[in-house]
Amino acid sequence: MKSIVKWQYDQLLKELLLLQEHQTDPTCPCSTDGEMCVRKHLLAIEGYAQETIPMEENNRFREKLQKLAAEAQFYREQEEEALRGKNEHVFLADWSREWRKEFEEYSLEL
């Protein structure tokens, strides 16, 4: 794996971990001071996945990144609706954990 691709996956995994943590820690004041943590991490996940797609040489992982980017965009849009008060917030800790597990071992390759 090229060093830039490894770096991309490291960033993606960090965002997935942070989203998982924000969703499971009841003491996180995610929506105070204009932070909107869930939306912020979904934006980053979507962005890193989209940015990594053309760099990824493995077709199987390119397809996984495309799926992750699409799902992150879908959940981001739902979160934005929730922030506008138009629907409920979606619990994404399990989603985030499952995606992290998809990439964790693969990201260890150099």
Side-chain angles (χ1 to χ4, degrees):
M1 178 181 298
K2 293 179 183 177
S3 61
I4 185 66
V5 177
K6 167 105 173 86
W7 185 89
Q8 292 286 127
Y9 278 110
D10 286 349
Q11 303 315 303
L12 185 58
L13 288 169
K14 289 174 191 176
E15 293 295 337
L16 288 164
L17 278 167
L18 288 168
L19 176 58
Q20 182 181 347
E21 185 174 317
H22 283 272
Q23 290 264 287
T24 57
D25 183 354
T27 66
C28 178
C30 287
S31 59
T32 60
D33 297 325
E35 274 304 307
M36 302 179 204
C37 294
V38 172
R39 179 180 182 268
K40 173 181 67 178
H41 293 302
L42 286 167
L43 272 168
I45 291 165
E46 180 184 347
Y48 279 117
Q50 289 171 338
E51 186 176 57
T52 308
I53 292 166
M55 298 178 201
E56 179 56 72
E57 295 175 352
N58 182 311
N59 286 335
R60 190 170 128 234
F61 280 91
R62 192 177 308 126
E63 289 173 10
K64 287 182 184 202
L65 288 165
Q66 289 169 339
K67 185 175 182 198
L68 174 59
E71 288 180 13
Q73 180 181 356
F74 173 78
Y75 287 129
R76 175 183 54 81
E77 290 167 356
Q78 283 193 323
E79 178 65 13
E80 289 169 353
E81 289 295 309
L83 290 167
R84 290 185 198 104
K86 295 184 178 181
N87 63 24
E88 297 296 316
H89 295 276
V90 178
F91 185 72
L92 297 168
D94 295 333
W95 175 84
S96 180
R97 181 180 182 277
E98 291 302 315
W99 272 114
R100 179 176 51 82
K101 297 231 172 250
E102 288 288 325
F103 296 111
E104 218 160 26
E105 186 176 343
Y106 179 69
S107 72
L108 295 175
E109 295 181 16
L110 294 175

